[in-house]
């Protein structure tokens, strides 16, 4: 565990140096949040995560650089370079521990720049918050100058190889990320909640949510068409697609890539006419902030569940559960018990809310499900996909239920800050999302065969059909 003097600073780092969706910049303490977020906004160009490692007494920062192509040819792609940095909480030293650039001198040059940065300050006078700010400034200004001189970096083929040499469960995790991102693109509130996405996509869409959704749909189709799961890495004509390359590199850089995807055996899977597949994602987002740990030791914790619509799962998976009670457009079920994130100690209750959320799906959600990634995920849950009809012949639902650890609200402690958590009947309400630590995502896929009127009519005897037609015309002429 870090020194107590660093506790609040670590909490601030985890709060403010992790990418956040636009809708999370207001709410509890909105003025202060907005000011700090705006202040650091230029630093958010390419990094993907800041993670706290309590046993190692360190903070790990992982950063993705997307560099422009060196050639103007259509088949030439930007270069992706992945960098990982370790920040020691004890010594406030910074070290580059991973660099995917093929030239070894690149990592050496980066470490030399970091050494200069560290020498130009007195460790006793510079806070951890300031140190990481300077590191991000370095990543966005000086280090790109080094990387632009790289002759080789990770290519499209290299990205596919890196995905394919991973364990099979990792491949299915990428499938799930692609599917959830497609569902987020189909949501009615995608203009606000479609996050995170590659920054290259947002710049091309120019603030148009529909245009951004089209980019994601097309790129995810091309990603599989390009041979993400096979040896074929080219489109007809020998041209690979820029968007598919950017999407794959972006997905591989996200924190969720460190998580585990498991078959969910705990869900009730009673045999029915539906085709059902259950999955669980075990999150690996690092240790909780010291402020959470300190309250957990004093008051204890409780496991809770939150059911939602599938269009929101992508954002929650990457950004955590956020207090949206102040925003009527984004708050799914209102705030009858006060503002905050609503959770239940019953998984069945949470799944009930997920079921309610499937009652009014957007028109394009069915198209989001009609993708090869869903077939791979169903096969992973032991569904015999070879016997399935085309996906567009099914009504497809997905029920997401998030599992989260929260601070257990005490019954008789008047000093306890109720913004952390409170119990309201059968529910728990947490105003401060920092004290909601998402640990798992449970998903249930349900496929139900659509009613086919023409197929039913084809089984009706011809003589009966003639009789019905004659009866119809007789009644019409009366």
């Amino acid at each position: 565990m870090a020194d107590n003097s660093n506790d609040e600073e670590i909490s601030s780092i985890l709060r403010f140096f992790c990418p956040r969706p636009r809708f999370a910049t207001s709410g509890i303490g909105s003025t202060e949040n907005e000011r700090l977020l705006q202040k650091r906004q230029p630093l958010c160009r390419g990094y993907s995560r800041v993670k706290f490692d309590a046993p190692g007494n360190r903070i790990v920062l992982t950063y993705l650089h997307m560099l422009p192509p060196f050639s103007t040819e259509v088949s030439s792609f930007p270069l992706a370079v992945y960098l990982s940095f370790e920040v020691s909480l004890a010594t406030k030293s910074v070290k580059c521990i991973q660099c995917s650039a093929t030239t070894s001198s690149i990592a050496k040059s980066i470490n030399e720049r970091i050494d200069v940065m560290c020498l130009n300050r007195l460790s006793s006078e510079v806070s951890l918050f300031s140190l990481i700010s300077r590191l991000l400034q370095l990543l966005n200004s000086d280090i790109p100058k080094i990387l632009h001189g790289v002759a080789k970096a990770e290519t499209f083929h290299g990205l596919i190889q890196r995905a394919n040499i991973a364990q099979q469960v990792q491949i299915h995790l990428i499938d799930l990320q692609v599917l959830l991102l497609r569902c987020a693109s189909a949501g009615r509130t995608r203009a606000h909640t479609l996050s995170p996405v590659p920054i290259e996509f947002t710049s091309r869409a120019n603030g148009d949510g529909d245009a951004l959704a089209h980019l994601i749909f097309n790129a995810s189709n091309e990603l599989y068409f390009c041979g993400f799961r096979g040896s074929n890495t080219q489109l007809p004509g020998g041209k690979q697609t820029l968007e598919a390359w950017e999407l794959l590199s972006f997905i591989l850089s996200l924190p969720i890539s460190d998580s585990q995807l498991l078959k969910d055996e705990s869900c009730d899977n009673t045999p029915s006419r539906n085709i059902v597949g259950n999955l669980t994602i075990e999150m690996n987002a690092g240790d909780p902030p010291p402020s959470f740990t300190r309250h957990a030791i004093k008051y204890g914790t409780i496991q809770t569940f939150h059911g939602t619509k599938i269009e929101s799962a992508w954002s929650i998976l990457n950004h955590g559960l956020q207090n949206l009670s102040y925003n009527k457009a984004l708050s799914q079920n209102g705030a009858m018990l006060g503002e905050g994130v609503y959770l239940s100690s019953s998984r069945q209750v949470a799944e009930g809310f997920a079921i309610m959320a499937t009652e009014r799906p957007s028109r394009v959600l069915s198209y989001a499900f009609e993708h090869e990634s869903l077939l791979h995920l169903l096969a992973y849950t032991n569904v015999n996909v070879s016997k399935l009809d085309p996906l567009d012949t099914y009504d497809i639902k997905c029920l997401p239920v998030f599992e989260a650890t929260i601070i257990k609200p005490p019954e008789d402690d008047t000093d306890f800050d109720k913004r952390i958590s409170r119990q309201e009947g059968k529910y728990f309400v947490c105003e401060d999302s920092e004290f909601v630590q998402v640990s798992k995502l449970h998903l249930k896929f349900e496929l139900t065969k659509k009613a086919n009127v023409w197929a039913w009519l084809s089984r009706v005897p011809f003589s009966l059909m003639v009789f019905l037609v004659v009866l119809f015309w007789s009644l019409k002429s009366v």
Side-chain angles (χ1 to χ4, degrees), residues 384-427:
N384 188 349
V385 296
S386 63
K387 293 186 177 181
L388 289 181
D389 292 326
L391 289 175
D392 60 0
T393 63
Y394 294 93
D395 287 318
I396 304 173
K397 294 181 180 180
C398 184
L399 308 179
V401 175
F402 285 89
E403 185 172 342
T405 303
I406 66 171
I407 305 299
K408 186 176 181 180
E411 296 180 359
D412 54 359
D413 189 338
T414 57
D415 294 329
F416 182 76
D417 189 347
K418 290 189 176 182
R419 291 178 302 174
I420 294 174
S421 65
R422 66 179 188 273
Q423 187 168 4
E424 302 285 354
K426 297 180 180 179
Y427 301 98

Side-chain angles (χ1 to χ4, degrees), residues 148 328 465:
H148 276 281
K328 294 182 180 180
M465 292 182 64

Side-chain angles (χ1 to χ4, degrees), residues 178-280:
V178 170
L179 184 64
L180 293 182
L181 183 55
R182 286 174 62 88
C183 291
S185 303
R188 292 189 178 93
T189 59
R190 58 183 173 270
H192 304 283
T193 60
L194 182 52
S195 175
V197 292
I199 194 169
E200 291 76 17
F201 284 22
T202 56
S203 61
R204 290 181 198 134
N206 197 26
D208 187 338
D210 291 338
L212 183 58
H214 282 298
L215 278 171
I216 290 170
F217 276 122
N218 292 336
S220 57
N221 288 333
E222 292 167 353
L223 178 61
Y224 286 74
F225 190 57
C226 283
F228 156 59
R229 285 180 156 268
S231 58
N232 176 32
T233 61
Q234 293 185 337
L235 289 172
K239 296 179 180 178
Q240 300 165 347
T241 58
L242 171 65
E243 288 76 15
W245 187 94
E246 290 171 339
L247 183 63
L248 180 57
S249 60
F250 176 76
I251 283 175
L252 288 172
S253 77
L254 291 173
I256 189 61
S257 296
D258 286 342
S259 301
Q260 290 185 319
L261 185 64
L262 307 170
K263 299 173 187 176
D264 190 346
E265 306 295 343
S266 61
C267 229
D268 178 23
N269 195 6
T270 306
S272 65
R273 67 190 185 93
N274 295 343
I275 299 166
V276 179
N278 298 308
L279 291 170
T280 289

